[in-house]
């Protein structure tokens, strides 16, 4: 297992310039690639093959494994494949299956056999969600507490950069080559992850792995709620629900908002989308660098305030209206807050997981944070119609306040954060045992 015994005593150069950060780059790329195949490349392919928009929209239903991945995460904590160890074995299996699935899309004619396409989409999302479960667990077990902010920032940025393969390179290639060749070339990018899996060390400790399926299913919940009591666990879960709720609400209808105040699709595509990508990457990178110097708790406070302030940029845009400079400024500020908040929250989630049940607890907690997005997508349209955009964005700022108040209980500013991980077994997995 990775030695964390020197955590808390290293310079920022020692944290940033080590192989853990390099592993995060390649694993982040491998994790993001299949998702962007599903949400960018597949819809474009189907549309060029004459599939109607309503049918393409229904394909989102077969990507449900991303939402329900915590259901099979306990089995990945409990069982090991007979090669490479508990984490690397499952990682390699999911990556090889992803390579197989992605390369097979081009061999199917969607105008003739749409059912086969649906099955391939479902299997790709299933294996992609499985890869995410194991890579999240691997990253938590690999990174020391003082590496969590930077490591997760690098992982998230590499995840987003991977979109350039199915979302940009593949589109260019599709004008020059048959779709079958395009899917093969895109699928081969999974070799980045496969090669990485062979080269990295195993992180899991079989001595503390669950001993039965029952233990793998029930103990992660029992450990989480028993660690500080049910009240503490509920406060943490509530915080995860509310911390980015205002943020999620503010961006849920941003494209219709831009259109409604007079921007054209070309202006949105050329200004807003590029600013959003740049600001998000910049925010996550800046967050990771700042967390080399500040604790997770203080990052949650500082980045949380930035998130709230950034929402009011959209409120100002609602008053200003059609102005490209205002559009660039508002989206840049908003997604700087999105990037910063994502890094801090991801690091906080990782710190809440026990090393015995990393895969299950990480999958469960990340699923909890997805609930606000669902709520936002389902309700914001009704709210905007009732009160208008300006008042809606003011409301989003107010909705963000409860998450900040919960920080008083779950991540106090002045609290000294221990290096020992939640749920560690003394003598087995604590730094002093090495």
């Amino acid at each position: 297992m990775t030695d964390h015994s020197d955590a808390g005593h290293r310079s920022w150069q020692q944290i940033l310039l080590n192989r853990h950060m390099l592993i995060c780059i390649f694993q982040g790329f491998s994790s993001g690639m299949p998702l962007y195949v599903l949400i960018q490349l597949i819809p474009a392919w189907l549309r060029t093959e004459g599939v109607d928009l309503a049918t393409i929209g229904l394909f989102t239903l077969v990507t449900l494994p991303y939402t329900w991945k915590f259901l099979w995460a306990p089995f990945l904590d409990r069982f090991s494949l007979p090669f490479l160890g508990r984490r690397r074995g499952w990682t390699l299996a999911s990556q090889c299956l992803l390579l197989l699935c992605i390369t097979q899309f081009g061999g199917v004619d969607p105008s003739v056999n749409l059912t086969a396409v649906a099955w391939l989409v479902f299997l790709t999302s299933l294996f992609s969600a499985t890869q995410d479960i194991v890579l999240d667990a691997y990253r938590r077990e690999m990174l020391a507490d003082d590496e969590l902010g930077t490591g997760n920032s690098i992982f998230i940025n590499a995840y987003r950069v991977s979109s350039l393969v199915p979302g940009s390179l593949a589109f260019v290639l599709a004008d020059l080559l048959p779709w079958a060749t395009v899917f093969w070339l895109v699928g081969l990018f999974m070799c980045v992850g496969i090669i990485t899996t062979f080269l990295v060390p195993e992180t899991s400790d079989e001595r503390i792995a669950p001993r039965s399926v029952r233990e793998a299913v029930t103990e992660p919940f029992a450990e989480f709620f028993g660690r500080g009591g049910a009240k503490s666990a509920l406060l943490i879960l509530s915080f995860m629900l509310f911390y980015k709720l205002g943020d999620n609400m503010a961006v849920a209808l941003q494209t219709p908002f831009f259109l409604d105040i007079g921007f054209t699709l070309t202006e949105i595509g050329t200004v807003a989308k590029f600013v959003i990508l740049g600001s998000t990457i910049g925010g996550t990178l800046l967050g990771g660098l700042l967390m080399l110097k500040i604790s997770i708790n203080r990052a949650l406070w500082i980045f949380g305030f930035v998130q709230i302030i950034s929402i009011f940029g959209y409120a100002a845009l609602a008053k200003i209206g059609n102005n490209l400079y205002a559009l660039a400024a508002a989206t840049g500020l908003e997604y700087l807050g999105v990037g910063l908040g994502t890094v801090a929250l991801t690091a906080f989630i990782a710190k809440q997981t026990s090393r015995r049940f990393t895969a299950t607890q990480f999958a469960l907690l990340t699923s909890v944070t997805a609930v606000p997005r669902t709520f936002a997508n389902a309700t914001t349209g009704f709210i905007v119609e009732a009160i208008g955009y300006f008042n809606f964005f003011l409301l989003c700022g107010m909705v963000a306040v409860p998450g900040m108040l919960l920080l008083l209980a779950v991540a106090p500013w002045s609290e000294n954060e221990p290096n020992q991980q939640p749920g560690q077994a003394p003598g087995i997995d604590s730094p002093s045992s090495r």
Side-chain angles (χ1 to χ4, degrees), residues 250-270:
V251 301
L253 290 176
Q254 66 176 11
T255 300
F257 165 56
F258 297 154
L259 291 169
D260 288 346
I261 60 176
F263 292 105
T264 66
L265 287 173
T266 299
E267 290 171 332
I268 295 170
T270 56

Side-chain angles (χ1 to χ4, degrees), residues 255-412:
T255 300
F257 165 56
F258 297 154
L259 291 169
D260 288 346
I261 60 176
F263 292 105
T264 66
L265 287 173
T266 299
E267 290 171 332
I268 295 170
T270 56
V271 177
K273 298 304 181 182
F274 280 101
V275 171
I276 286 170
L277 178 61
S279 297
T280 307
I281 292 176
T284 52
L285 183 59
L286 177 62
L289 293 174
L290 289 174
M291 290 180 71
L292 288 168
K293 293 292 186 181
I294 61 176
S295 66
I296 294 174
N297 285 16
R298 293 189 177 187
L300 287 167
W301 281 93
I302 296 170
F303 299 169
F305 278 119
V306 174
Q307 281 187 152
I308 294 177
I309 294 170
S310 69
I311 293 171
F312 297 126
Y314 274 11
L317 183 61
K319 285 294 187 182
I320 295 170
N322 190 341
N323 183 298
L324 286 177
Y325 295 105
L327 174 65
T331 53
L333 179 62
E334 172 62 25
Y335 278 86
L336 175 67
V338 169
L340 290 171
T342 299
V343 170
L345 183 60
T346 304
F348 177 80
I349 290 172
K351 198 161 183 286
Q352 302 310 306
T353 59
S354 164
R355 300 181 73 77
R356 292 194 66 200
F357 313 107
T358 317
T360 302
Q361 289 183 344
F362 210 116
L364 177 65
L365 295 177
T366 50
S367 294
V368 169
T369 62
V371 172
R373 288 199 300 272
T374 304
F375 172 81
N377 290 338
T379 64
T380 49
F382 298 102
I383 299 173
V384 170
E385 287 183 352
I387 64 176
Y389 280 115
F390 178 75
N391 291 327
F392 168 71
F393 290 122
L394 295 182
L395 176 64
C396 291
M398 294 174 60
V399 168
V401 172
M404 295 299 295
L405 294 176
L406 284 167
L407 282 172
L408 293 168
V410 303

Side-chain angles (χ1 to χ4, degrees), residues 213-243:
V213 174
R214 181 180 178 278
E215 182 178 329
V217 172
T218 61
E219 285 299 310
F221 300 93
E223 190 279 333
F224 180 75
F225 280 92
R227 188 184 305 159
K231 180 180 178 181
S232 174
L234 290 174
L235 283 171
I236 290 172
L237 292 174
S238 298
F239 164 71
M240 291 180 183
L241 284 169
F242 285 105
Y243 185 67

Side-chain angles (χ1 to χ4, degrees), residues 3 17 38-39 53 61 96 161 179 188 203 208 218 254 258 271 273 289 300 378 380 382 386 394:
D3 187 357
L17 303 175
L38 293 174
I39 66 175
L53 292 175
L61 295 176
C96 290
V161 167
W179 276 109
L188 287 175
T203 60
I208 59 173
T218 61
Q254 66 176 11
F258 297 154
V271 177
K273 298 304 181 182
L289 293 174
L300 287 167
T380 49
F382 298 102
L394 295 182

